[in-house]
Amino acid sequence: RNTFQEEGSGMKDVPTWLKSLRLHKYASLFSQMSYEEMMALTEVDLESQNVTKGARHKIALSIQKLRERQSVLKSLEKDILEGGNLRSALQELQQIIITPIKAYSSLQTAQKESQGMDSSATVGSRLSQEKSSKTEDKDSPADNFQSQSATSCDGESTTAPVPEGDIAGQFTKVMGKGG
């Protein structure tokens, strides 16, 4: 089993992400796990797989950063709207784009919430599909592209909140603010 090659696994970009962290020698360990298993990894889990102490700590911190991507994107959006530094926002977005991102599904989120599990492990389909469209030319299902715009009572355009766990949706929303 190699989850890096499974369509929709969210694991396709793990080797590139690990290489950016200079931890690519651990790619084989990650190739055997699901996205959810990777997102739940702890230093204890990594120790049981004979990962060195320094690498364990770096991997655990990096996975924590993966969990924080949506809040980072929300903060970037706010900064951009308030006239913040676009260059630093773009640098942050560049770091996020190379991370593993699993397709977001509102159905998966509803199922996880009904089971009492953390839905933050389920992430954006739009970005995943955009990434895969670099190699494949395929149409995305229309239901993955919910309208992010609504009109308020006074006729001004407002933005609908992006569902929790939809990293690609949040990323796309932030990218729309830069212009």
Side-chain angles (χ1 to χ4, degrees):
R1 176 185 179 202
N2 182 348
T3 58
F4 297 161
Q5 297 178 11
E6 291 176 13
E7 189 64 36
S9 70
M11 298 296 283
K12 183 180 81 171
D13 296 315
V14 169
T16 305
W17 172 67
L18 287 171
K19 190 166 187 161
S20 76
L21 298 171
R22 293 190 164 91
L23 294 168
H24 48 282
K25 78 179 205 174
Y26 296 105
S28 61
L29 170 70
F30 286 81
S31 72
Q32 304 302 308
M33 61 180 73
S34 71
Y35 183 87
E36 290 75 18
E37 289 168 336
M38 176 187 72
M39 293 299 285
L41 272 178
T42 65
E43 287 195 49
V44 173
D45 299 328
L46 293 166
E47 185 176 16
S48 72
Q49 296 294 319
N50 299 317
V51 175
T52 64
K53 185 177 182 179
R56 282 196 306 265
H57 187 66
K58 191 172 184 179
I59 291 169
L61 284 174
S62 298
I63 289 172
Q64 182 57 40
K65 284 184 180 179
L66 293 181
R67 293 185 198 115
E68 296 168 355
R69 289 177 293 191
Q70 190 154 12
S71 61
V72 167
L73 286 166
K74 286 177 183 176
S75 176
L76 283 175
E77 179 185 11
K78 185 174 183 262
D79 290 349
I80 292 168
L81 288 172
E82 294 172 355
N85 185 335
L86 197 54
R87 182 180 301 269
S88 63
L90 287 170
Q91 289 171 336
E92 190 76 39
L93 290 170
Q94 187 176 22
Q95 291 304 306
I96 291 172
I97 198 75
I98 63 168
T99 63
I101 299 175
K102 186 170 181 181
Y104 172 78
S105 163
S106 55
L107 179 62
Q108 287 175 333
T109 303
Q111 287 172 343
K112 285 180 183 270
E113 286 172 353
S114 71
Q115 295 169 357
M117 296 174 73
D118 181 10
S119 64
S120 65
T122 315
V123 294
S125 73
R126 280 173 284 228
L127 187 58
S128 179
Q129 289 169 355
E130 287 170 20
K131 283 179 158 184
S132 66
S133 72
K134 292 176 191 170
T135 55
E136 296 174 24
D137 189 24
K138 63 181 182 181
D139 293 326
S140 303
D143 61 317
N144 287 333
F145 287 87
Q146 300 171 345
S147 173
Q148 294 291 327
S149 224
T151 305
S152 64
C153 297
D154 58 7
E156 288 185 20
S157 182
T158 58
T159 305
V162 176
E164 191 62 38
D166 187 356
I167 302 300
Q170 196 73 52
F171 189 96
T172 303
K173 186 175 176 190
V174 171
M175 290 299 293
K177 302 296 178 194

